[in-house]
Amino acid sequence: MASKLFLYHAILFVLVQGRVLDFSKDFDTIVGDESSEACRHNSEILTQVLNQHASGHVLHFPVNQTFNFHHGIIAERMDDSVLLIDGTLRFQKVDLPIDHHLNGTTYPACLTIRNSRNVTVTSQYRGLIDGRGSQYWGIPLIGYVQIEEHRPRLFRFDLTDDLLLENIILQGTTDKSGPVAPLSSWIV
């Protein structure tokens, strides 16, 4: 009950001061296409929208629409924002050299939010975030040996305060470790 009340106040705050941005109608996005070009295109648009337009607004991903992205989307300073995911966000694997992790690097998280406050990620229906984890496992045992523990996280929240993550189905997570770095006041 407390989280529903928090969600209501978060959305009310944003709606009073901001507006609802429809990811499929307000931006030149490609819906339902899993091609690498569509993923790259949508990833570039989402990165731009989150960094330049999301603060103080609701970013809505409509029901019955699937948006495909590559992992590595980074948003900074998304203050007083709501990501209203009623459709599906699906992250496709980016082909990196098989030995990219030998220098200690990992695949970037699907979605990273940094230096932000009062961020709500929610759904009115049954929104889905699909990390397509099976793409990172490959052939049993061999896929794990190749990638080891360098699979991407679904989320990463760095220096983000007052985060609410609710009513979202998280499917195909690629890395089971925690999604957060220094973070305060969060509800999942």
Side-chain angles (χ1 to χ4, degrees):
M1 181 66 171
S3 67
K4 292 286 184 192
L5 187 59
F6 179 79
L7 171 65
Y8 171 77
H9 288 292
I11 292 176
L12 183 63
F13 173 81
V14 171
L15 290 176
V16 168
Q17 296 196 3
R19 62 188 180 129
V20 177
L21 305 171
D22 185 309
F23 193 67
S24 65
K25 291 181 182 175
D26 294 335
F27 305 98
D28 183 28
T29 58
I30 301 171
V31 178
D33 186 346
E34 292 185 12
S35 71
S36 183
E37 294 80 22
C39 291
R40 181 191 50 76
H41 178 79
N42 286 346
S43 297
E44 289 172 0
I45 290 175
L46 183 57
T47 298
Q48 180 182 10
V49 169
L50 292 177
N51 284 294
Q52 297 176 8
H53 304 291
S55 284
H57 300 297
V58 174
L59 179 57
H60 184 231
F61 298 87
V63 68
N64 296 326
Q65 293 188 5
T66 299
F67 300 94
N68 292 281
F69 306 96
H70 288 305
H71 60 268
I73 295 171
I74 299 173
E76 298 208 34
R77 293 173 180 48
M78 269 184 51
D79 297 336
D80 304 315
S81 302
V82 176
L83 297 181
L84 185 58
I85 304 170
D86 290 327
T88 299
L89 306 186
R90 181 165 291 135
F91 291 88
Q92 305 292 343
K93 182 179 180 182
V94 175
D95 290 325
L96 296 175
I98 197 68
D99 62 350
H100 82 279
H101 63 274
L102 293 178
N103 64 3
T105 62
T106 63
Y107 285 92
C110 293
L111 176 62
T112 298
I113 298 177
R114 294 181 181 152
N115 301 312
S116 299
R117 67 175 175 76
N118 194 25
V119 176
T120 300
V121 181
T122 190
S123 177
Q124 298 177 82
Y125 303 101
R126 292 181 54 88
L128 172 69
I129 300 175
D130 184 0
R132 302 292 294 261
S134 61
Q135 293 180 351
Y136 295 90
W137 289 104
I139 300 168
L141 187 60
I142 294 172
Y144 180 79
V145 170
Q146 288 176 330
I147 298 177
E148 298 174 346
E149 292 297 325
H150 301 283
R151 297 175 310 279
R153 293 178 173 161
L154 194 56
F155 290 112
R156 183 173 174 96
F157 301 101
D158 293 334
L159 302 171
T160 297
D161 297 325
D162 302 319
L163 170 71
L164 173 62
L165 178 65
E166 70 170 5
N167 297 332
I168 297 290
I169 299 168
L170 304 177
Q171 175 178 299
T173 59
T174 56
D175 185 332
K176 303 291 191 229
S177 64
V180 295
L183 178 70
S184 66
S185 245
W186 60 287
I187 301 172
V188 178

